[in-house]
Amino acid sequence: MSNTKVLPLLESDAQGVAPCCPPLTERPFTAEEADTAARMFKALGDPVRLRLFSAVASHEGGEACVCDISDVGVSQPTVSHHLKKLKEAGLLTSERRGTWVYYRVEPSVLAAMGRLLTTASTAA
Amino acid sequence: MSNTKVLPLLESDAQGVAPCCPPLTERPFTAEEADTAARMFKALGDPVRLRLFSAVASHEGGEACVCDISDVGVSQPTVSHHLKKLKEAGLLTSERRGTWVYYRVEPSVLAAMGRLLTTASTAA
């Protein structure tokens, strides 16, 4: 179940997922929208987490095991700590297969965050 | 000069600005790229800052004075503190005109952050 849990920035709808929040340029965020979106921005607001997230996101097939992505100059427990934080923020999902845990970025999360940052004139 | 300083995520080029970093899905970030981008994500990783940023970004004409955007349930000094943080991260610029300081979002910053979050297949 760990790789199918609902992501904080997204809500299920007929297409699968919908973004929580309008583009930042469309109207002032409500407190609830700001809480949800800030959680994800905060998760990416650490250089080590951002490198790990980028390593997973850019890995072949869109997923990576810890063995693939620990080359960021910090200890293995620190890597695990940051991966856990990214999971808690809904940015990564994970699945254990045999010895290893595999991490994956949900593309719709990236799309939803990207949508927040579009300008009003170019937003759908 | 405060409204013309170089923004951390951007470097000047012939077109004006260029993003510091590739899309997160393109390849693992270097330490330097991660430092730069994490600073901006961190600045948006606070609900009050995100609401203030959204209030400025969505205000008529793309700029707002403190008098326009202090309706986020925190004290005026707290508003000023968060606006300062957003400026330090390069997300807002400011200009004093008469009594008021006006804040503005540089559209190219939003575009550069949005580009980080595009998927490799859709990135330019």
Side-chain angles (χ1 to χ4, degrees):
Chain A
M1 287 298 287
S2 64
N3 62 335
T4 58
K5 73 175 182 182
V6 174
L7 303 164
L9 194 63
L10 306 164
E11 288 176 20
S12 295
D13 69 3
Q15 273 74 50
V17 287
C20 85
C21 310
L24 281 160
T25 54
E26 192 170 294
R27 58 166 173 74
F29 270 27
T30 66
E32 290 73 22
E33 290 168 341
D35 282 344
T36 302
R39 199 179 313 136
M40 311 202 81
F41 284 123
K42 188 175 181 181
L44 294 181
D46 176 276
V48 173
R49 280 202 294 276
L50 200 53
R51 291 185 73 186
L52 289 170
F53 184 81
S54 173
V56 173
S58 64
H59 202 261
E60 194 180 339
E63 72 171 15
C65 79
V66 174
C67 56
D68 295 320
I69 56 171
S70 39
D71 184 25
V72 294
V74 296
S75 69
Q76 178 62 56
T78 301
V79 168
S80 295
H81 165 78
H82 284 303
L83 289 171
K84 183 160 174 267
K85 291 280 181 187
L86 287 165
K87 276 183 63 178
E88 288 171 356
L91 289 164
L92 292 181
T93 57
S94 70
E95 185 184 6
R96 177 175 290 277
R97 293 206 296 272
T99 307
W100 295 103
V101 176
Y102 287 80
Y103 293 87
R104 175 176 284 279
V105 174
E106 179 60 47
S108 55
V109 174
L110 278 182
M113 292 187 75
R115 200 175 300 123
L116 290 184
L117 296 165
T118 54
T119 56
S121 58
T122 60
Chain B
M1 286 297 289
S2 64
N3 63 335
T4 58
K5 74 175 179 180
V6 175
L7 303 164
L9 194 65
L10 307 165
E11 288 176 20
S12 293
D13 69 2
Q15 274 74 49
V17 288
C20 84
C21 309
L24 282 161
T25 54
E26 192 169 293
R27 58 164 173 75
F29 270 28
T30 66
E32 291 73 23
E33 289 168 344
D35 282 346
T36 302
R39 199 180 314 137
M40 310 200 84
F41 284 122
K42 188 175 182 182
L44 294 180
D46 176 276
V48 173
R49 279 202 295 276
L50 201 52
R51 290 185 74 187
L52 288 170
F53 184 80
S54 174
V56 173
S58 64
H59 202 261
E60 193 180 339
E63 71 171 16
C65 78
V66 174
C67 56
D68 295 320
I69 57 171
S70 41
D71 184 23
V72 294
V74 296
S75 68
Q76 177 64 53
T78 301
V79 168
S80 295
H81 166 78
H82 284 304
L83 289 171
K84 183 159 174 267
K85 291 280 182 188
L86 287 165
K87 276 185 63 179
E88 287 170 355
L91 289 163
L92 293 181
T93 57
S94 69
E95 185 184 8
R96 178 174 288 278
R97 294 207 295 273
T99 307
W100 295 103
V101 177
Y102 288 81
Y103 293 87
R104 174 176 286 278
V105 175
E106 179 61 45
S108 54
V109 174
L110 277 182
M113 292 188 77
R115 199 176 298 125
L116 290 184
L117 296 165
T118 55
T119 56
S121 59
T122 59

